Amino acid sequence: MTRLLASPMRRLAALGLALLVVNVGALAIHVPGADTVGSVTRANVFVGVVAVGLGLYLLAVRLVLRERLPRAALWTILGVAVLMRAALLPAPPFLSSDIYRYVWDGQVQAAGINPYRYIPADPALEQLRDPAVYPLINRKDYARTIYPPAAQMVFAAVGQVSHGVTAMKLTMLGFEALGVLAMLAILRGAGLPSARILIYAWNPLALWSFACDGHVDAVAIGLLGLALLARTCRRYGLAGALLGAATLVKLLPVAVAPAFVRGGRLWRPMLVGATVIAVLYLPYLGAGANVLGFAGGYGAEEGYETGAGYWLLAGLGHLGLSPPGLLRTYLVCAGLTLAALALRIAFGRDRAPAPDAVALCRDAGLLAALTTCAASPHYAWYYPWLALPAVVAPAPALIWLGAAPILFLIDPFNDRFLWPSLVFVPALVLAARALWQARTSPLAALPEGTAR
């Protein structure tokens, strides 16, 4: 057995097969027809199984970063990635019900109605209700849609073709594939091993978030990948436009904007990105102030207005300190830190210059990780996008944060600090280790495969 697995290529294939088996096994835990895993016990077992998959994934990442693999390895990586997604695609969403809102918003727009105007339960939309989608919409009795205009345009396009979840999931996987192809092009242009695409393609969190539940974050990932590619090709206006569109799918991608304007190339990506954002809002302005949807209510519902929704403040609450009393201080400190980092990236100079694509993805990954951690959402699907820049600039903390939140699929303590600490504390340790290495040896801190 040791001899059989001695070849890096054979180890890669073995890890891919094991990861496929683990994920199919996890799917088998779900009770057919249940809109959740089936029970609390089954949910706990499910997360335990996918955690094994997380371990296999990290071993595979270590392999592609440390071993020299033949070009044929790319086909093994992509083949396993496709098989894993194909296995989950037919399954009904059972880890989240968000996709039913996407389908509903598409139906509403197909009927010529602004999706920001009414809540699903409004009598004005009664004729659109159907037994397959409407009963499964979350917050249907009190919340307008929360999804921004670029996401709505995707929902509308799908709604013109189909009113089912499978078509919506296929669309999400299509955008995800665009992101993968874009990162492959960046790897090729930077002279880096194409096998690194495994860092995203085998990410179990991305697999379950998009192939199983069809989260709209996949659209943002596809647009962000294309934006990164356009930026490395020095198509600054196109990069800004794509990043602006990604921001109107999920707000978080706006955090990486300073990486796109590094080197003083400010006006074109910023102007074009802002123009795209404004233009995408135009078709929906008839809803007036409701065009912002459920954004304000969501913040209150998730504990952001009181501070209890932030991981760090929730932890201080365990020490007897008041999250509401510390909220303003936290937001100011987080805002100033991110602003200082943004200015440093946009206008600063590297102590150890890296190739343009590597520097872009390194900076984008850092901005994305810090912003996401500062917000500390407790929904797992907010994190897979962090694995995308890690393909080119594979920082350990970024890779961990892009996959480990699969543990958030359960919360045995019903607490915003204790269980999430399993993700955030190791990330802080990995980040501190990388920072120490950068301070003691700047060249050692560069991602593997870059010029030294």
Side-chain angles (χ1 to χ4, degrees):
M1 178 62 75
T2 303
R3 288 185 178 181
L4 286 174
L5 296 180
S7 162
M9 187 64 188
R10 287 175 178 168
R11 278 184 280 154
L12 178 70
L15 286 168
L17 178 60
L19 192 56
L20 177 61
V21 169
V22 164
N23 284 296
V24 171
L27 180 62
I29 295 170
H30 170 240
V31 175
D35 59 357
T36 62
V37 179
S39 68
V40 173
T41 300
R42 282 179 176 266
N44 293 340
V45 173
F46 173 84
V47 171
V49 172
V50 296
V52 173
L54 173 63
L56 292 170
Y57 161 75
L58 294 174
L59 288 174
V61 170
R62 184 175 185 271
L63 177 66
V64 299
L65 291 178
R66 295 197 175 191
E67 300 284 356
R68 185 177 297 275
L69 295 166
R71 290 186 177 181
L74 175 62
W75 298 109
T76 298
I77 291 167
L78 295 180
V80 170
V82 169
L83 285 174
M84 290 193 294
R85 285 160 174 79
L88 297 188
L89 178 63
F94 62 89
L95 300 172
S96 164
S97 60
D98 285 358
I99 194 171
Y100 296 103
R101 174 73 78 153
Y102 310 163
V103 175
W104 173 260
D105 285 356
Q107 291 179 14
V108 171
Q109 292 179 86
I113 301 171
N114 190 325
Y116 297 104
R117 189 176 292 276
Y118 304 106
I119 64 173
D122 194 292
L125 304 181
E126 185 174 2
Q127 73 278 10
L128 299 178
R129 297 173 191 168
D130 65 286
V133 173
Y134 178 76
L136 298 172
I137 299 171
N138 56 43
R139 305 181 179 94
K140 61 178 175 287
D141 297 324
Y142 63 91
R144 289 180 172 83
T145 185
I146 194 175
Y147 302 103
Q152 291 296 341
M153 290 179 179
V154 173
F155 303 157
V158 177
Q160 294 291 335
V161 178
S162 170
H163 293 170
V165 297
T166 300
M168 192 65 72
K169 289 207 287 185
L170 281 170
T171 301
M172 299 308 161
L173 291 180
F175 275 98
E176 191 187 28
L178 286 176
V180 167
L181 292 174
M183 300 314 293
L184 280 171
I186 294 174
L187 288 170
R188 189 180 304 113
L192 296 171
S194 59
R196 286 190 181 184
I197 198 63
L198 177 147
I199 293 171
Y200 181 84
W202 284 16
N203 184 334
L205 181 53
L207 173 70
W208 288 98
S209 296
F210 308 135
C212 180
D213 287 341
H215 281 287
V216 74
D217 304 64
V219 178
I221 284 171
L223 293 173
L224 177 60
L226 292 173
L228 290 169
L229 176 60
R231 177 61 177 77
T232 60
C233 294
R234 304 182 188 281
R235 300 287 301 277
Y236 302 120
L238 179 59
L242 289 164
L243 184 60
T247 298
L248 285 195
V249 174
K250 206 83 171 185
L251 185 60
L252 283 172
V254 73
V256 307
F260 280 69
V261 299
R262 65 191 305 272
R265 302 178 181 91
L266 286 170
W267 70 269
R268 190 178 300 172
M270 290 183 65
L271 179 60
V272 174
T275 301
V276 166
I277 290 173
V279 168
L280 290 178
Y281 262 108
L282 288 177
Y284 300 100
L285 291 180
N290 291 330
V291 76
L292 298 178
F294 187 58
Y298 180 83
E301 199 170 271
E302 295 301 313
Y304 291 125
E305 289 189 357
T306 64
Y310 297 100
W311 173 71
L312 181 59
L313 294 186
L316 292 175
H318 282 280
L319 299 177
L321 300 175
S322 168
L326 295 171
L327 177 58
R328 180 174 297 180
T329 301
Y330 176 80
L331 293 177
V332 169
C333 290
L336 290 176
T337 300
L338 290 170
L341 177 63
L343 291 172
R344 172 69 179 83
I345 286 174
F347 301 106
R349 293 184 178 181
D350 291 337
R351 292 172 59 196
D356 187 59
V358 175
L360 172 66
C361 290
R362 177 201 64 204
D363 294 342
L366 178 59
L367 288 162
L370 286 179
T371 304
T372 305
C373 287
S376 56
H378 71 286
Y379 294 121
W381 48 88
Y382 277 70
Y383 295 85
W385 77 298
L386 301 178
L388 200 69
V391 166
V392 176
L398 194 61
I399 294 170
W400 173 259
L401 280 171
I406 201 165
L407 299 175
F408 291 174
L409 294 175
I410 60 170
D411 183 1
F413 305 117
N414 192 27
D415 180 88
R416 296 294 291 270
F417 177 75
L418 296 175
W419 186 254
S421 294
L422 293 178
V423 170
F424 292 124
V425 170
L428 288 173
V429 171
L430 291 170
R433 179 174 177 267
L435 182 61
W436 174 258
Q437 290 177 338
R439 289 174 63 88
T440 56
S441 178
L443 290 177
L446 287 176
E448 294 183 35
T450 59
R452 296 176 182 263

